[in-house]
Amino acid sequence: MMLPAPRAPFRRLRWTPLAVLGAGALALGVPHAFARTDDAPGARLAQACAGRDGWAEPAPPARIAPETGIKAWYVGTCGITALLLDTDAGLVLLDSGVAEAAPLILGNIRKLGFDPREVRWLLGSHEHHDHVGGHGAVQRATGAKVAALAVAARSLTRGKITLDDPQRGAISDFAPVRVDRVLADSEGLVVGSLVLTPHATPAHTPGSTSWTIASRVPGAPAMTLAYVDSATTVSAKGYRFTDHPDRVTQARAGFAAIAALPCDVLVTPHPSASNLFARLSGSEALNDPQACVRYAARASEYLDTRLSQERANDHQAEVPKS
């Protein structure tokens, strides 16, 4: 049985032909719109994903830090973040997860009362299938434009990671996507009420991109949401960072860039990397201007340890056996 329509509009509707089409779809029973849930609790997300971190395991959506004045929601899975932003001039989606997760992310957008066709821009953290594997499906479903830094853009259009990616051989290809705009490092993308600024942070991959998000509404809180890319220097089997000093230099530049970011609220592509669910549930502090500094320091220590281990292995190999 179809439920009666809500008395109040769930959204500031603009009566364009697209809006009329959407209203017709709702009347036919298509899952187009639901009552807005701006207060989707982080505690529910943390509870739903307790002990689960699969890349395609469904998770409920959750509002992120409304005190920033930025309308942001977690719409990803238990293991991979997808960040939805309402700019008052359309939606922006940061990351799309693995291809299998695209329907889950689109479903979470609908659960929040939005039409996925309102997604105007599709952005990404880094060019691996676990974060941009769903870009193709989301782009087809929404008609969104894709923007990326140059290195990531080349991978996105080919559906393959770069030849100098340390994880080459361990990362799957993904569906190629159309890139509509190639951004320069620190070139702000203005969408409605928000400015989204990409920062080259090539620690995890050559095309790693972190994004800072700030409101441009007069009188809004002067707080920044930082969507900071993975910074771990992991690799495919057999890769040695000591054999690739240029890659080490790039990674260290990435750590420095991350540490310098404005970072009132840290969100990461793997939620576990920043204890995001615990922070959204209130069991840990969500707002912390020093979070990016510590995040970069941990990544730097990880690389130092790895380099030391590689050198130790070299030394052991040189010791003749008695």
Side-chain angles (χ1 to χ4, degrees):
M1 181 177 67
M2 183 176 293
L3 295 175
R7 293 181 180 275
F10 72 93
R11 193 160 165 73
R12 293 176 295 279
L13 291 175
R14 297 178 297 278
W15 288 107
T16 62
L18 180 61
V20 173
L21 176 61
L26 180 60
L28 292 172
V30 176
H32 164 74
F34 300 84
R36 284 292 298 278
T37 52
D38 284 347
D39 58 347
R44 183 163 60 93
L45 171 60
Q47 182 177 10
C49 291
R52 302 167 60 233
D53 63 357
W55 291 351
E57 287 191 272
R63 182 74 189 268
I64 296 177
E67 63 272 21
T68 62
I70 299 166
K71 290 177 278 189
W73 291 265
Y74 187 98
V75 294
T77 63
C78 286
I80 298 290
T81 302
L83 183 66
L84 183 72
L85 303 165
D86 181 8
T87 73
D88 295 325
L91 304 174
V92 175
L93 183 65
L94 270 159
D95 279 343
S96 59
V98 293
E100 298 84 352
L104 302 176
I105 292 170
L106 293 169
N108 274 342
I109 293 173
R110 294 187 184 97
K111 287 177 184 177
L112 290 168
F114 295 108
D115 183 338
R117 291 171 296 182
E118 294 180 82
V119 177
R120 303 289 184 254
W121 288 97
L122 178 58
L123 312 177
S125 54
H126 65 267
E127 61 281 22
H128 283 175
H129 73 281
D130 49 333
H131 302 284
V132 298
H135 264 40
V138 171
Q139 189 178 51
R140 289 191 298 273
T142 64
K145 294 181 179 179
V146 171
L149 295 180
V151 176
R154 288 194 291 272
S155 286
L156 288 170
T157 56
R158 297 174 62 243
K160 297 177 182 295
I161 65 175
T162 59
L163 296 177
D164 58 343
D165 190 319
Q167 297 180 64
R168 185 168 178 257
I171 294 295
S172 302
D173 293 345
F174 49 88
V177 296
R178 182 192 73 248
V179 175
D180 302 277
R181 181 169 171 182
V182 176
L183 297 168
D185 185 18
S186 300
E187 177 188 358
L189 178 66
V190 177
V191 188
S193 61
L194 299 180
V195 179
L196 300 96
T197 305
H199 305 269
T201 54
H204 189 64
T205 73
S208 281
T209 306
S210 298
W211 296 84
T212 50
I213 304 151
S215 174
R216 56 195 293 263
V217 175
M223 299 181 71
T224 300
L225 182 64
Y227 189 63
V228 180
D229 192 26
S230 302
T232 50
T233 43
V234 294
S235 70
K237 186 176 181 180
Y239 185 95
R240 290 162 37 88
F241 281 88
T242 47
D243 295 335
H244 300 275
D246 289 348
R247 180 89 275 279
V248 173
T249 299
Q250 279 190 332
R252 295 204 186 282
F255 303 152
I258 289 171
L261 293 176
C263 186
D264 294 295
V265 177
L266 171 65
V267 179
T268 50
H270 288 275
S272 59
S274 55
N275 295 326
L276 181 60
F277 293 167
R279 293 162 54 230
L280 290 176
S281 71
S283 61
E284 294 184 16
L286 180 60
N287 299 354
D288 180 2
Q290 294 302 306
C292 286
V293 173
R294 288 196 300 274
Y295 184 74
R298 289 194 301 270
S300 181
E301 290 169 4
Y302 180 94
L303 177 57
D304 289 342
T305 300
R306 169 146 189 177
L307 292 171
S308 295
Q309 290 173 342
E310 289 180 2
R311 295 186 188 106
N313 290 338
D314 289 344
H315 178 72
Q316 291 170 4
E318 293 170 0
V319 176
K321 295 182 179 180
S322 58

